[in-house]
């Protein structure tokens, strides 16, 4: 496979075209940003770790019947993916209250939600990724009503699967962000990544609110040991996958 030109550089990944127009190469970076890129830094080894965790999770999801953009991972920090047109919406699924849900509603951190909450945010850095209502999403024609329904259904299915998977790693899935894309046949595929950058992951055995954090909140909130936490998540994922197979 020969790599052509840089198609797009985001905050955490660079996308390259390849000799096959249906295939892109995603290069995962060590760069870390938070608070709409107001905080910038680097997490040593993050590119390799997030690419490896995402690759494992996409393969697990595929095996459970969820269609994803994942093809393979030719190098530790690189993933070959199916080219898709990204739906410009960040889909957030929450099982436990944290982050902006607490800030915006006053619900106490750690409150277990009676049922998972699916939310849509407009993927637009200039506007600060605002929370959307379903009607606003349709008004802005970011997706069709059928696509919104299909995305909601998929998001809940993925949440069920991932909650169980992370549980088998001794990790509590608090909340996470997904992105979806449409392939050349207009088929919805799970895209982007699933990693400690995009999920809130708490060490189930740890009650201390700072020590339990195994995700990007360690970077956002300067909790220290960021690399160790990411590495620990990867080790647990690899172990869980090995036991399953
Ligand atoms: N998230 C993400 N990218 C974003 C915004 C949120 O991956 O641009 C993830 C975040 O890591 C968390 C979940 O989505 O797992 C919910 O984030 P929240 O809305 O609470 O925002 P935050 O508090 O992270 O700013």
């Amino acid at each position: 496979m020969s790599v052509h030109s840089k198609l797009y550089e985001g905050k955490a990944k660079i996308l390259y075209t390849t000799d096959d127009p249906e295939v892109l190469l995603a290069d995962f970076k060590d760069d870390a940003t938070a608070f709409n890129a107001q905080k910038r830094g680097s997490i040593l080894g993050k590119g390799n770790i997030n690419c490896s965790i995402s690759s494992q999770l996409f393969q697990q999801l595929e095996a459970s019947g969820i269609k994803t953009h994942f093809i393979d991972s030719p190098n530790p920090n690189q993933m070959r993916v199916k080219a898709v047109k990204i739906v410009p919406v960040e889909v957030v699924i929450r099982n436990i209250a944290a982050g902006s849900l607490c800030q915006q509603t006053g619900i106490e951190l750690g409150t277990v939600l009676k049922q998972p909450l699916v939310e849509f945010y407009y993927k637009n850095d200039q506007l600060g990724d605002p929370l959307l209502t379903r009607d606003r999403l349709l008004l802005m024609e970011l997706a069709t009503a059928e696509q919104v329904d299909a995305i909601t259904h998929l998001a809940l299915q993925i949440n069920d699967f991932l909650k169980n998977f992370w549980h088998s790693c001794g990790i509590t899935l608090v909340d996470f962000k997904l992105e979806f894309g449409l392939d050349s046949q207009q088929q919805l595929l799970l895209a982007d990544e699933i990693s400690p950058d995009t999920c809130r992951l708490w060490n189930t055995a740890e009650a201390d609110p700072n020590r339990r954090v195994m995700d990007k909140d360690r970077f956002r909130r300067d909790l220290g040991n960021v690399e160790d936490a990411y590495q620990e998540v990867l080790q647990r994922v690899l172990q869980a996958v090995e036991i399953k197979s």
Side-chain angles (χ1 to χ4, degrees):
M1 177 195 59
S2 68
V3 173
H4 290 219
S5 54
K6 193 192 274 193
L7 182 66
Y8 167 81
E9 179 157 3
K11 284 173 265 184
K13 292 185 285 297
I14 305 174
L15 276 180
Y16 297 94
T17 58
T18 68
D19 44 17
D20 182 342
E22 303 264 353
V23 176
L24 300 177
L25 184 76
D27 198 304
F28 285 61
K29 304 193 284 187
D30 284 357
D31 298 356
T33 61
F35 313 118
N36 203 7
Q38 286 171 57
K39 182 181 171 89
R40 288 174 184 275
S42 175
I43 301 172
L44 195 68
K46 178 169 86 74
N48 286 1
I49 295 173
N50 281 0
C51 182
S52 303
I53 294 172
S54 277
S55 299
Q56 294 294 341
L57 294 177
F58 282 141
Q59 287 173 84
Q60 294 291 317
L61 284 163
E62 285 277 355
S64 85
I66 305 276
K67 293 192 168 65
T68 80
H69 71 159
F70 178 82
I71 299 172
D72 59 17
S73 175
N75 287 301
N77 75 323
Q78 291 186 325
M79 194 188 282
R80 289 196 320 138
V81 298
K82 292 172 197 153
V84 293
K85 187 168 181 283
I86 291 284
V87 178
V89 163
E90 301 198 333
V91 183
V92 169
I93 302 96
R94 302 178 187 272
N95 298 303
I96 295 177
S100 67
L101 179 65
C102 297
Q103 284 153 21
Q104 293 171 9
T105 65
I107 297 174
E108 198 183 333
L109 172 71
T111 305
V112 177
L113 308 185
K114 288 205 182 87
Q115 55 189 48
L117 178 65
V118 179
E119 298 178 325
F120 302 101
Y121 293 82
Y122 183 28
K123 223 172 118 67
N124 183 316
D125 285 341
Q126 268 185 335
L127 296 175
D129 295 348
L131 178 63
L132 294 173
T133 61
R134 178 189 168 87
D135 285 345
R136 281 191 184 182
L137 202 155
L138 297 177
L139 175 78
M140 294 163 75
E141 297 183 350
L142 301 177
T144 65
E146 293 71 30
Q147 287 166 347
V148 177
D149 292 343
I151 287 172
T152 305
H153 183 75
L154 277 169
L156 289 169
Q157 250 185 302
I158 294 165
N159 182 48
D160 278 344
F161 183 88
L162 290 180
K163 252 194 326 195
N164 281 328
F165 181 83
W166 287 118
H167 179 76
S168 77
C169 301
I171 290 173
T172 304
L173 178 59
V174 175
D175 59 30
F176 60 108
K177 185 262 297 181
L178 298 175
E179 293 183 29
F180 292 88
L182 293 163
D183 69 7
S184 51
Q185 273 91 59
Q186 296 297 105
Q187 187 178 217
L188 263 179
L189 303 182
L190 176 62
D192 195 47
E193 66 176 280
I194 307 173
S195 73
D197 269 10
T198 63
C199 303
R200 280 200 172 88
L201 304 168
W202 291 351
N203 186 355
T204 312
E206 180 60 74
D208 181 88
N210 289 341
R211 279 205 300 261
R212 70 185 173 194
V213 175
M214 302 182 81
D215 56 65
K216 200 161 103 176
D217 274 349
R218 296 208 76 83
F219 169 78
R220 292 189 188 99
R221 294 164 46 203
D222 294 318
L223 296 176
N225 299 320
V226 188
E227 284 87 0
D228 293 348
Y230 275 56
Q231 190 62 51
E232 173 70 18
V233 173
L234 172 60
Q235 291 316 317
R236 292 197 194 188
V237 166
L238 293 176
Q239 225 169 42
V241 169
E242 202 177 294
I243 291 167
K244 270 186 91 171
S245 62

